[in-house]
Amino acid sequence: MLLRILFLSALLFSGLTQAMLVEKQRFEIAKFTTENGQLIAPVQVGWEAYGQLNEAKDNVILITHFFSGSSHAAGKYSEEDALPGYWDNIIGPGKAIDTDRFYVISVDTLVNANVFDPNVITTGPATINPATGKPWGLDFPVVTIGDFVEVQKALLDSLGIERLYAVIGASMGSFQAIEWATRYPERVERLVPVIGTAFIDAWAAVRLERWAYPIKADPAWKNGDYYATGQPTEGLITALSYIIQDAVYPTGFNLRYPAPFTDAAPHQDIRASFSAWQQLREHAAVRAAYQDANHILYLVRASQLFRAGMGDNWQAALKRVQARTLLLPATGDQLLLPQMSRTTQQALEAAGKEVHYHEIPGIWGHLDGVVGMPAVAEVLSEFLQQ
Amino acid sequence: MLLRILFLSALLFSGLTQAMLVEKQRFEIAKFTTENGQLIAPVQVGWEAYGQLNEAKDNVILITHFFSGSSHAAGKYSEEDALPGYWDNIIGPGKAIDTDRFYVISVDTLVNANVFDPNVITTGPATINPATGKPWGLDFPVVTIGDFVEVQKALLDSLGIERLYAVIGASMGSFQAIEWATRYPERVERLVPVIGTAFIDAWAAVRLERWAYPIKADPAWKNGDYYATGQPTEGLITALSYIIQDAVYPTGFNLRYPAPFTDAAPHQDIRASFSAWQQLREHAAVRAAYQDANHILYLVRASQLFRAGMGDNWQAALKRVQARTLLLPATGDQLLLPQMSRTTQQALEAAGKEVHYHEIPGIWGHLDGVVGMPAVAEVLSEFLQQ
C-alpha cells in the first residue's frame, strides 16, 4: 500500500541497524462508560512500549495514533517484519524521541480501523459483544476522542503512571494529545500536536463525511448490519482511496500515480477510468483487507465531533492547558491545514500559554506528519530536552 | 444556492446602476465531428454578447465559462432578474472588461451542466438525438475541451471574427482559453487563465473522479439510461455538494455553514448527520433542479482529459502560444492550486513567452475566481490596455 512504499524512506533510517523488537500487550476494562453514557463491557485494547519505565515513573511519553494507524509506532515484532512502526524514524535509541531516556507507550484506540490486523487489539462494531455473542454492529455506541483518552488513562493508571513527560500524536492522534492536555492538564507536561488541530470546523466535518458516504451508499452496508453477509467492500475501498488521496499533496501523489494522458480509453468511453484511479483503488484494497467499514464510520464520527474539551467553546477549554506546546503542521497539508494549527496557536497564546510552531516541509502534505518527521527531528528533540 | 448568496457582493457593484440587458442567441452546426471521431448532428449552443463589434472586428474578447457556469457572464435578461451574469463585477461599461470598447462574447459549452435552465442552450446526453428521437444518453460521444473550442470557433467564423483581442476564462474556462491559444495561436492576442491550469495531473483527475462517483454509485443512474425513469437525484445532489465544497476555502465555508458543536444528534447516533452537511445538500439540491447527472459526468471527463494541446506533452504544446498571458490563480484555491498556475507560468517562460502572474486574494478559495475578481480588476484592466 501507499504507506508501505513511502515507508521506504523510513527504512533507510531504520533498516541499517538492528530493529528494536517490541511486543503487543492487551489491556482490558471490564466496564467502560462512554462520554454519551453508554456501556461497553468489556473494552479490550492493544498497547506496546519502547524503552524502560524509570523508578519515579516520570519519563513517560504517550504516543497517540492517527486515523489509519495503530499502537505500532516504532520497532518490529520480529526481525523478519518488512517494515517497522510508523514513527520509527523518530522513536528509538538516540532518536528524537529517545528510548534510551524515555518510556514510550502507545495504545490502540477504540474502533481502530485495522481491527482484522492480527497485531491490533480493539473494541468496536466488528468485535463480539459478549452480551449477544455477535458483533456489536451499530449497537456500538458513538465514541469520541475523549473516550479514547479515558481508555489510555485507565491503562496508565493501571501501570501507576500519573504524569506524562509529553503526549505526542499525529492527525487524529493530535486530537487525543490536545484532549489529554485539556482534560487532565496537571498530568501533561508537554504537548506536541503533529499535523493537527484543536477543533474540527464545518468544512473539515463535511470533508470527513465524504469518507463515510461511499460506505453508506454501498447496498452491502445494510445499515451497518453486514457481519453475516460480508463487508461493503466497494464502499470501503472507495472510502480508503479518498483517505489516501486526502493525506497526500499533489506533488507526491503525481510521483506515485500515472498522468491522465497515458490512458487512451477514457477519451473513447465515459465509463472507462484512469489508471491513477485504478491504482489508487488497488492500494486501498490492500488496506481494506485489514479494516472494517463500520470502524471507518465510527472513526469519522469521533474525528468530526472533536474540539478541545468536547464542549461548545474549544478556545475556552484550552485555557486549562498547563503543558508547553509544540505545534508541527505540514506545509502542504490540505486535510488539516497549517491554518488550523495557527488558529490553535493563537487560542493558546491568547490564554497565555507557551506555544511553539514549526512547519514540516515536504512534498507529501498531511503524510509528511509521518514520513517527513526526520526534517523536524531536531526541533522535536530540543523541545523534549527543555 | 451558495453562489447566489455569494453574488450579493457582486450585486453591490452592479445593482446600483441600471443593468446591461442581454439576449440569449442560438447557434447551430449541422454536423460536428468530435475530437475522438464521432458525429453529433446537429450541435446547438446558446451564446450572448455585450458591447458592439467594431467594423474591423478586432475588438472581440471571448469569455469561456467554468464547469457549473453558462454563457451568462454579465448583464441581465430583464431588469427583474435577481442577479446578473457571474462576472458582471468585471464585465460592463467602464469595467475591467470594458464593453464600451470591447465586444465580449460567451458561448454555452457542449454538455453544459445547466441543460434544464431555460436560458441555457446546449447539446449533450440529456438532449434529443434527432436520429432516434430520444435523449442521447451515453451514446453521446466523449467530448473534450478541444471540442468546446471548435464549437466556439465555428460561431466566431460564422460572425466573420478572425482574431481575438483576448480569451479569458475561469477554471474549466481557463482550459478552453489555454486550448484556444495553443490550437489557434495566430488568432489569440491575449490569454487570461483565471483559477486555471494548462494541465490536469493524476491528483486532479482523481479528485474530479470523486465528483462522478456518487452519480455512478446511485442505482437510479442505470448506466446513464435513466431518462425514462428519472434522474439519479441522490447521486447528483451529492456530486454537486462536493463541487460546491471543493470550490470554497475553509474560511469562507465556515462562515456559511454551522460548526459541528451546534449539533447534538451526531454524538448519539452514528446515522445522524451534521447541519453543515444537510445545508450543503440543500444548496446543491437547488442547483440539481437545473442540471443533468450525465452532463456532470461528461464535464468531469472533459476536464480530466485536459492538457494544453491534448497530446502527450503539454509543455511542448505551449511553445505554440503567441498570446501575452496573465495568470490569475486564487491564493486559497484547493482545487486548481496556485502551484498549477506557477507550473504553467514556468512552462510558458521556458518557451520564451511573456507571462504575468498575479494571485487573487480572498477567503473563498477557488470561488474567488468569480466573486473575488474586483480585487484584481485593475491588474486585468491594465493588462488588456497593453
Side-chain angles (χ1 to χ4, degrees):
Chain A
M1 65 182 150
L2 185 63
L3 271 175
R4 288 193 191 278
I5 290 146
L6 297 173
F7 277 165
L8 289 175
S9 65
L11 274 181
L12 288 175
F13 287 82
S14 65
L16 301 177
T17 57
Q18 206 173 14
M20 177 171 68
L21 291 182
V22 300
E23 198 181 350
K24 184 71 65 175
Q25 304 190 64
R26 182 181 301 261
F27 175 66
E28 179 169 319
I29 305 172
K31 293 183 178 185
F32 180 84
T33 302
T34 61
E35 193 164 331
N36 66 359
Q38 306 297 308
L39 183 71
I40 308 174
V43 155
Q44 293 198 333
V45 292
W47 64 282
E48 52 192 73
Y50 329 108
Q52 298 298 321
L53 183 62
N54 66 13
E55 212 165 312
K57 298 187 177 182
D58 64 0
N59 70 330
V60 180
I61 293 182
L62 175 67
I63 305 292
T64 47
H65 71 70
F66 51 94
F67 191 101
S68 306
S70 74
S71 59
H72 194 36
K76 293 183 172 184
Y77 299 118
S78 85
E79 288 287 357
E80 287 68 44
D81 287 3
L83 293 164
Y86 66 89
W87 261 356
D88 199 84
N89 53 17
I90 51 167
I91 300 172
K95 297 182 185 176
I97 301 172
D98 188 351
T99 51
D100 287 339
R101 177 176 173 197
F102 298 114
Y103 180 66
V104 181
I105 185 167
S106 184
V107 189
D108 293 326
T109 63
L110 293 168
V111 301
N112 187 286
N114 311 286
V115 57
F116 304 126
D117 180 332
N119 287 312
V120 168
I121 304 167
T122 188
T123 305
T127 64
I128 300 297
N129 177 0
T132 65
K134 293 179 181 172
W136 279 88
L138 296 203
D139 289 338
F140 198 80
V142 171
V143 288
T144 67
I145 297 299
D147 290 319
F148 298 176
V149 166
E150 293 301 329
V151 171
Q152 292 154 5
K153 178 173 170 288
L155 169 61
L156 296 176
D157 285 347
S158 77
L159 298 172
I161 294 167
E162 287 183 6
R163 290 181 67 81
L164 293 168
Y165 187 88
V167 187
I168 308 176
S171 195
M172 190 185 79
S174 81
F175 308 166
Q176 298 163 63
I178 291 168
E179 188 61 16
W180 256 104
T182 306
R183 190 175 284 229
Y184 298 109
E186 72 289 350
R187 294 176 77 141
V188 180
E189 294 167 7
R190 290 166 194 79
L191 167 64
V192 185
V194 179
I195 50 171
T197 178
F199 63 101
I200 290 297
D201 57 15
W203 178 85
V206 170
R207 282 293 295 273
L208 287 163
E209 192 64 37
R210 293 164 67 168
W211 295 358
Y213 185 87
I215 292 171
K216 292 180 177 172
D218 187 335
W221 180 57
K222 297 180 177 177
N223 227 14
D225 187 20
Y226 55 74
Y227 292 102
T229 51
Q231 286 239 58
T233 309
E234 161 68 23
L236 177 59
I237 288 173
T238 306
L240 299 182
S241 300
Y242 295 173
I243 293 171
I244 292 172
Q245 185 182 33
D246 284 346
V248 178
Y249 190 77
T251 309
F253 193 89
N254 293 329
L255 284 180
R256 185 65 196 84
Y257 296 102
F261 79 81
T262 59
D263 295 305
H267 191 172
Q268 299 300 329
D269 182 352
I270 196 82
R271 283 156 294 204
S273 60
F274 291 92
S275 300
W277 175 248
Q278 290 163 355
Q279 290 180 22
L280 175 62
R281 293 180 66 84
E282 286 161 18
H283 294 146
V286 174
R287 257 192 220 193
Y290 297 96
Q291 301 197 349
D292 175 76
N294 281 337
H295 280 231
I296 297 297
L297 298 184
Y298 276 73
L299 283 172
V300 162
R301 179 51 51 88
S303 299
Q304 288 173 317
L305 289 169
F306 175 64
R307 58 269 183 180
M310 296 300 299
D312 60 1
N313 190 332
W314 62 267
Q315 292 96 330
L318 288 184
K319 291 179 183 168
R320 301 200 291 269
V321 171
Q322 295 180 18
R324 296 171 57 238
T325 302
L326 170 64
L327 296 161
L328 294 174
T331 302
D333 195 338
Q334 297 190 294
L335 182 57
L336 299 176
L337 315 182
Q339 184 57 40
M340 289 171 151
S341 281
R342 282 277 185 217
T343 306
T344 302
Q345 176 188 27
Q346 286 157 9
L348 283 164
E349 283 176 347
K353 313 299 177 187
E354 180 185 340
V355 199
H356 304 263
Y357 175 104
H358 192 95
E359 288 189 11
I360 310 165
I363 61 166
W364 296 103
H366 193 66
L367 194 56
D368 277 318
V370 180
V371 300
M373 292 303 283
V376 294
E378 201 168 334
V379 172
L380 176 58
S381 172
E382 281 176 16
F383 177 79
L384 291 178
Q385 281 162 34
Q386 287 165 3
Chain B
M1 67 180 148
L2 184 63
L3 269 175
R4 288 192 190 278
I5 290 145
L6 297 173
F7 277 164
L8 289 175
S9 65
L11 274 180
L12 289 175
F13 287 81
S14 65
L16 302 175
T17 56
Q18 205 173 13
M20 177 171 68
L21 290 182
V22 299
E23 197 182 349
K24 184 70 65 176
Q25 304 190 64
R26 182 180 299 261
F27 175 66
E28 179 168 320
I29 305 171
K31 292 183 177 184
F32 181 84
T33 302
T34 61
E35 194 164 330
N36 65 0
Q38 306 295 309
L39 182 71
I40 308 174
V43 155
Q44 293 197 333
V45 291
W47 63 283
E48 53 192 73
Y50 329 109
Q52 297 297 322
L53 184 61
N54 67 12
E55 213 167 309
K57 298 187 176 181
D58 65 359
N59 70 329
V60 181
I61 292 182
L62 175 67
I63 305 292
T64 46
H65 71 70
F66 52 93
F67 190 100
S68 306
S70 74
S71 58
H72 194 36
K76 292 183 172 184
Y77 299 118
S78 85
E79 288 287 356
E80 286 68 45
D81 288 2
L83 293 165
Y86 66 88
W87 259 356
D88 199 85
N89 53 18
I90 51 166
I91 300 172
K95 297 181 185 177
I97 301 172
D98 189 352
T99 51
D100 288 339
R101 177 176 174 199
F102 297 115
Y103 180 66
V104 180
I105 185 167
S106 185
V107 189
D108 292 328
T109 63
L110 293 168
V111 302
N112 186 286
N114 311 285
V115 57
F116 304 126
D117 180 333
N119 287 311
V120 167
I121 303 167
T122 188
T123 305
T127 65
I128 299 297
N129 177 1
T132 64
K134 293 180 181 170
W136 279 90
L138 296 204
D139 289 339
F140 199 80
V142 171
V143 287
T144 66
I145 298 299
D147 290 319
F148 298 177
V149 166
E150 293 301 329
V151 171
Q152 293 153 5
K153 177 171 172 288
L155 169 61
L156 296 176
D157 285 347
S158 78
L159 299 171
I161 296 167
E162 287 184 3
R163 289 181 68 82
L164 293 168
Y165 188 88
V167 187
I168 308 175
S171 194
M172 189 185 79
S174 81
F175 308 166
Q176 298 162 63
I178 290 168
E179 188 61 15
W180 256 104
T182 305
R183 190 175 285 228
Y184 299 109
E186 72 290 348
R187 294 177 76 141
V188 180
E189 293 168 7
R190 289 165 195 79
L191 167 64
V192 185
V194 179
I195 49 170
T197 178
F199 64 100
I200 291 297
D201 57 15
W203 178 84
V206 170
R207 281 294 294 272
L208 287 163
E209 192 64 36
R210 292 164 67 167
W211 296 357
Y213 186 87
I215 292 171
K216 292 180 177 171
D218 187 336
W221 179 58
K222 297 180 177 176
N223 226 16
D225 186 20
Y226 55 74
Y227 293 102
T229 49
Q231 286 238 57
T233 309
E234 161 68 23
L236 177 59
I237 289 173
T238 306
L240 299 182
S241 300
Y242 296 172
I243 292 171
I244 292 172
Q245 185 181 34
D246 284 345
V248 178
Y249 190 76
T251 309
F253 192 89
N254 293 328
L255 285 179
R256 184 67 195 81
Y257 297 102
F261 78 81
T262 59
D263 295 304
H267 191 170
Q268 299 299 331
D269 183 353
I270 196 83
R271 283 157 295 204
S273 60
F274 291 92
S275 299
W277 174 247
Q278 290 163 354
Q279 290 180 22
L280 175 62
R281 293 181 65 84
E282 286 161 19
H283 295 146
V286 174
R287 256 193 220 191
Y290 298 96
Q291 300 197 350
D292 176 76
N294 281 337
H295 280 230
I296 297 296
L297 298 184
Y298 276 74
L299 283 172
V300 162
R301 179 52 49 90
S303 299
Q304 288 173 317
L305 289 169
F306 176 63
R307 59 268 183 182
M310 296 301 299
D312 61 2
N313 190 332
W314 62 268
Q315 293 96 331
L318 288 184
K319 291 180 183 167
R320 301 201 289 270
V321 171
Q322 294 179 19
R324 297 170 57 238
T325 301
L326 170 63
L327 296 162
L328 295 174
T331 303
D333 195 338
Q334 297 189 296
L335 181 57
L336 299 176
L337 315 182
Q339 184 55 41
M340 289 170 152
S341 281
R342 281 280 183 215
T343 306
T344 302
Q345 176 189 27
Q346 286 156 8
L348 283 165
E349 283 176 347
K353 313 299 176 187
E354 180 185 339
V355 198
H356 305 263
Y357 176 103
H358 192 96
E359 288 189 12
I360 310 165
I363 62 166
W364 295 104
H366 194 65
L367 194 56
D368 277 318
V370 180
V371 301
M373 291 304 284
V376 294
E378 202 168 333
V379 172
L380 176 58
S381 172
E382 281 177 16
F383 177 78
L384 292 178
Q385 281 161 33
Q386 287 164 3

